[in-house]
Amino acid sequence: MAIALIFLFQLNDFYKKYLISLIEIPKLKIENSERTTFLKIYSKNGNLIFHQYNNFGGLVNLKNDFENFDELYNFFLKTNGKDIYLEQLFKKFYKKYKNKVFGLSYKEFLKEQFYKAFWKKYSYSDFYTIIANNFVFQQSIKGINGYSFYLFGTDFEKLKLKEKTFLILLVLFNNVDAHNNFAYFEKLASLFTDDETPIRFNYPKTFVKYNDYVEGVLKELKEYKLDYKKTNIVVYSNLDETLYKVMKRVVTSSLKKYDGVEGSTVILNYKTKKVLAVLGTINGDYALNRALYAKREVGSVFKPVTYLTAFSYGLRPSFVLEDKSYAFKEGSFIYKPKNFKDFYMGRTNIRNGLIYSLNNLTIKLAETVGLKRVSKMANQLGFENVKPFYAMPLGSIPQTPFTVANAFSAIANYGHRCKMKFINRIEIDDKELDIADEKCQKVVDEKSAYQTIYLMKKVVQYGTARGANLIPGTAGKTGTSNDSKDCWFVGIFPPYVVVQWVGYDNYKTIDEDATGGKVAAPIVAKIEKYSLKKVKRVSFDVPKGVVLRKVVKNEDMLYSDGCGRYYYEMLKLNNLPKRCDRINTVERE
């Protein structure tokens, strides 16, 4: 009997040694490569105008960053009674060998030995450094350092002892959301640290200045398809803060008599291809950036496109059409537009249609040259989704102020459409990103573009923008939609294109006699005087092959003595009209 008992004891010892030999302690490692990354945007003036954290990460070492972790771990065990992570590791190990373990008592023995072997290999702080760094919190934030930044706006090592304790307790209790049972965990943190100071989260906030401009930068930044989570991005924009402030002050003060009206402004340097300023609201309503996203009917601001198209297809500014009330048939619909205040010029050179913004003559010209050609030209310049129909030449096409500015920058650049940029340069983790300058696309010949600019100068000199106090030589075009719901002005004064829109968000009439010339153009004039300080006259370079010639008024003929009245016209040297023969010409007045 004694021999049998000895044998059983020996067998039991042998079996236990066998079980101990099965123990495998897993090799644990940190599997967290997340880092805290940010996006910063600076103005041309060197000031920070946007800062945002895009990702939260980083690693901690509890031996260094939380020296009394062993005490906290023992405090946790007294509170909770078990280590859930160690239990999970044992369960995973036991699942592999459970068919070799006979009885519950041997399972408990194996568990005890597993724990001893585990703590022999890992210290408390080593083990939980790995757990804390791999732990996934709410918002899919990986690691305790990332969650520290998310909640408190700083790294774990910089937190107060109670705040560190609070975060570690979340990990120990496997709680992924700090807001879940917040009071309980704060109380535990107070008991351990003997600190009753309330925990206050300090979420990192996004800093934004000049929202309307920053929105343009962010929109443009998407084109580069950068990895915001993995890299720090610093953007140096083209925003001229001083110009922006002047622009906003001018627009706001100029429109204060119209209660609740909105104003939007875009300023481009078309020679350097830079967006210098955009104003999306004058009432602090940044929910809608009216410069970039509010599409409104552009009215007569669109008219230069028709004349540019005509000139590019061989018609001359001296070409003659009848300005009268027309009825244009479009399918089964008859379109009968009116001129402003029912003013008609009769037989006249087409240049007057642009200078005096004549509706009927402009549509007749568009019909003559081809509505499809006009819409094609508009799209090539940068207007969006313009379709050919009879109301199109009068600007019955909703566009954003930024789109209008881009399109006119192509005209100002003598027919070259260039991408206007909010961004000057980008740095990725302190290394400059190569953002190659896109080549400009030629969409129309420079002679036709200059002829259009020349007539836009006349709009300012004695047309619909006269009296707006613009600098002499400025090229511009007014625009007013039906019932004065929208007032526009586009001004070109090298090297700038400025577009001004004024209107109510609910599309109500601004004022009974509100026009682009009265409301929008004077605003641009004030901005122009600031931008071109001490400039007395604006000038444009005249392309080769364009000449100034005397033309018979109301006739498409070069002037000769005795042929009636004349005016000066910019004409292409290779497309001059015939000279007037006073014998065979009937003067028409």
Side-chain angles (χ1 to χ4, degrees):
M1 184 72 176
I3 295 173
L5 287 173
I6 292 171
F7 175 76
L8 287 174
F9 279 123
Q10 289 177 338
L11 183 63
N12 181 59
D13 288 343
F14 176 79
Y15 181 59
K16 284 184 176 180
K17 288 179 180 178
Y18 167 73
L19 290 178
I20 291 173
S21 72
L22 297 177
I23 293 175
E24 299 170 345
I25 302 301
K27 187 177 181 180
L28 304 176
K29 63 179 182 179
I30 296 172
E31 297 175 341
N32 178 5
S33 60
E34 297 295 315
R35 56 184 290 206
T36 300
T37 60
F38 58 77
L39 167 63
K40 293 182 179 180
I41 302 174
Y42 290 89
S43 71
K44 171 187 172 183
N45 307 71
N47 297 317
L48 183 68
I49 60 174
F50 181 83
H51 181 278
Q52 175 179 280
Y53 288 103
N54 297 313
N55 193 50
F56 304 104
L59 302 178
V60 300
N61 185 329
L62 294 181
K63 277 185 179 178
N64 300 325
D65 300 334
F66 195 84
E67 295 178 358
N68 47 354
F69 180 78
D70 287 1
E71 291 179 46
L72 179 60
Y73 181 74
N74 289 320
F75 173 79
F76 158 71
L77 286 181
K78 288 179 183 178
T79 305
N80 194 51
K82 61 181 180 180
D83 186 323
I84 58 173
Y85 299 103
L86 194 54
E87 280 200 349
Q88 288 172 356
L89 289 175
F90 175 74
K91 285 179 181 178
K92 187 176 181 181
F93 159 74
Y94 181 73
K95 185 177 181 181
K96 185 177 179 180
Y97 295 106
K98 65 179 180 179
N99 60 339
K100 296 182 180 182
V101 181
F102 306 110
L104 184 60
S105 62
Y106 286 112
K107 178 183 177 182
E108 290 301 317
F109 169 78
L110 184 60
K111 183 177 182 180
E112 181 183 347
Q113 296 303 314
F114 181 88
Y115 281 12
K116 285 182 179 179
F118 186 86
W119 291 128
K120 188 176 181 180
K121 183 173 183 179
Y122 293 99
S123 68
Y124 295 150
S125 58
D126 286 341
F127 177 48
Y128 270 95
T129 291
I130 296 170
I131 296 296
N133 282 311
N134 289 339
F135 196 82
V136 180
F137 292 90
Q138 66 177 125
Q139 307 294 330
S140 299
I141 297 171
K142 195 169 185 178
I144 198 170
N145 196 73
Y147 202 49
S148 170
F149 224 107
Y150 172 76
L151 291 178
F152 299 103
T154 191
D155 290 313
F156 179 84
E157 65 177 356
K158 297 178 181 178
L159 295 179
K160 296 176 183 177
L161 178 60
K162 183 176 180 179
E163 294 167 339
K164 290 182 179 181
T165 302
F166 175 83
L167 289 176
I168 294 173
L169 286 170
L170 294 179
V171 175
L172 290 168
F173 281 91
N174 194 25
N175 189 321
V176 301
D177 188 349
H179 306 88
N180 184 27
N181 293 320
F182 170 82
Y184 174 70
F185 289 109
E186 185 185 34
K187 183 178 179 180
L188 287 182
S190 296
L191 288 173
F192 180 77
T193 61
D194 196 27
D195 182 355
E196 295 295 333
T197 306
I199 289 176
R200 297 282 185 265
F201 298 144
N202 183 28
Y203 303 103
K205 297 178 178 62
T206 297
F207 168 75
V208 186
K209 194 176 182 181
Y210 311 110
N211 305 57
D212 28 24
Y213 191 91
V214 165
E215 199 166 0
V217 176
L218 295 176
K219 182 181 179 183
E220 189 173 302
L221 199 57
K222 288 181 180 179
E223 299 173 12
Y224 298 100
K225 298 179 181 179
L226 303 175
D227 192 339
Y228 284 38
K229 289 191 70 176
K230 294 184 178 180
T231 55
N232 288 322
I233 303 170
V234 179
V235 177
Y236 298 91
S237 77
N238 294 316
L239 171 65
D240 186 327
E241 288 186 73
T242 308
L243 180 58
Y244 178 95
K245 291 173 184 176
V246 170
M247 170 187 68
K248 187 167 185 175
R249 184 173 65 249
V250 165
V251 178
T252 303
S253 61
S254 299
L255 299 177
K256 62 183 179 181
K257 66 177 180 180
Y258 304 110
D259 185 37
V261 78
E262 273 293 358
S264 177
T265 317
V266 178
I267 305 178
L268 309 177
N269 184 322
Y270 62 85
K271 290 190 176 181
T272 60
K273 298 179 281 188
K274 293 180 179 180
V275 183
L276 300 181
V278 293
L279 179 65
T281 176
I282 61 172
N283 296 315
D285 178 16
Y286 294 102
L288 174 62
N289 189 328
R290 290 154 190 82
L292 302 182
Y293 299 113
K295 292 187 175 183
R296 303 289 292 241
E297 286 197 1
V298 297
S300 295
V301 158
F302 185 78
K303 283 176 180 170
V305 178
T306 295
Y307 293 83
L308 175 65
T309 308
F311 303 154
S312 70
Y313 279 97
L315 275 69
R316 294 179 285 269
S318 56
F319 185 72
V320 175
L321 280 176
E322 187 81 16
D323 177 43
K324 64 179 183 179
S325 179
Y326 287 99
F328 300 98
K329 188 175 182 181
E330 199 158 33
S332 59
F333 177 70
I334 302 298
Y335 179 50
K336 298 182 69 175
K338 291 184 177 181
N339 283 5
F340 183 65
K341 293 187 177 180
D342 280 328
F343 170 74
Y344 299 91
M345 295 190 73
R347 178 184 171 85
T348 188
N349 307 97
I350 60 171
R351 67 183 332 249
N352 291 323
L354 181 55
I355 295 170
Y356 298 106
S357 205
L358 305 174
N359 292 339
N360 278 268
L361 187 146
T362 299
I363 298 179
K364 191 64 180 176
L365 177 61
E367 183 184 58
T368 302
V369 73
L371 291 169
K372 288 184 178 180
R373 286 176 171 174
V374 176
S375 65
K376 182 181 178 181
M377 176 66 74
N379 292 316
Q380 288 177 333
L381 289 171
F383 285 97
E384 296 180 352
N385 198 30
V386 179
K387 305 294 183 183
F389 61 104
Y390 275 104
M392 170 200 65
L394 304 188
S396 294
I397 50 166
Q399 303 284 314
T400 68
F402 187 71
T403 299
V404 173
N406 269 297
F408 275 94
S409 72
I411 297 175
N413 266 320
Y414 296 109
H416 291 85
R417 179 181 174 182
C418 308
K419 180 177 174 60
M420 298 292 137
K421 292 188 174 184
F422 287 86
I423 297 172
N424 184 35
R425 62 188 179 94
I426 302 172
E427 288 181 359
I428 306 295
D429 285 338
D430 298 324
K431 293 181 181 179
E432 188 162 349
L433 179 69
D434 182 17
I435 50 174
D437 192 18
E438 297 179 26
K439 290 184 178 180
C440 299
Q441 177 188 1
K442 186 176 181 179
V443 295
V444 68
D445 67 283
E446 63 177 359
K447 297 174 186 177
S448 298
Y450 180 74
Q451 286 180 305
T452 306
I453 291 170
Y454 182 75
L455 294 187
M456 290 174 67
K457 290 171 65 175
K458 300 304 176 185
V459 171
V460 173
Q461 185 179 355
Y462 51 78
T464 55
R466 66 189 182 281
N469 204 25
L470 290 146
I471 297 174
T474 301
K477 186 65 190 81
T478 58
T480 312
S481 67
N482 289 337
D483 300 320
S484 297
K485 296 175 182 177
D486 304 272
C487 286
W488 294 80
F489 184 74
V490 56
I492 305 175
F493 39 96
Y496 305 106
V497 167
V498 179
V499 169
Q500 179 66 49
W501 167 82
V502 178
Y504 286 98
D505 289 340
N506 62 3
Y507 293 88
K508 75 175 185 178
T509 297
I510 298 169
D511 199 21
E512 288 185 5
D513 63 345
T515 64
K518 291 181 179 179
V519 177
I523 294 174
V524 176
K526 293 175 184 176
I527 295 172
E528 179 185 32
K529 285 181 172 59
Y530 171 81
S531 303
L532 302 180
K533 293 175 181 176
K534 298 181 180 179
V535 172
K536 301 299 182 183
R537 175 170 288 276
V538 173
S539 60
F540 293 82
D541 294 331
V542 182
K544 291 182 179 180
V546 179
V547 293
L548 191 64
R549 292 287 187 266
K550 289 181 180 179
V551 172
V552 179
K553 185 179 180 182
N554 300 332
E555 296 289 348
D556 185 24
M557 288 188 251
L558 294 177
Y559 176 78
S560 293
D561 289 342
C563 289
R565 292 187 290 170
Y566 66 87
Y567 69 95
Y568 286 95
E569 188 64 86
M570 279 290 178
L571 298 168
K572 297 176 185 177
L573 197 56
N574 61 354
N575 186 27
L576 296 174
K578 292 181 180 180
R579 186 163 294 279
C580 168
D581 181 348
R582 60 187 176 132
I583 299 174
N584 299 317
T585 300
V586 178
E587 184 177 347
R588 304 183 183 185
E589 294 291 343

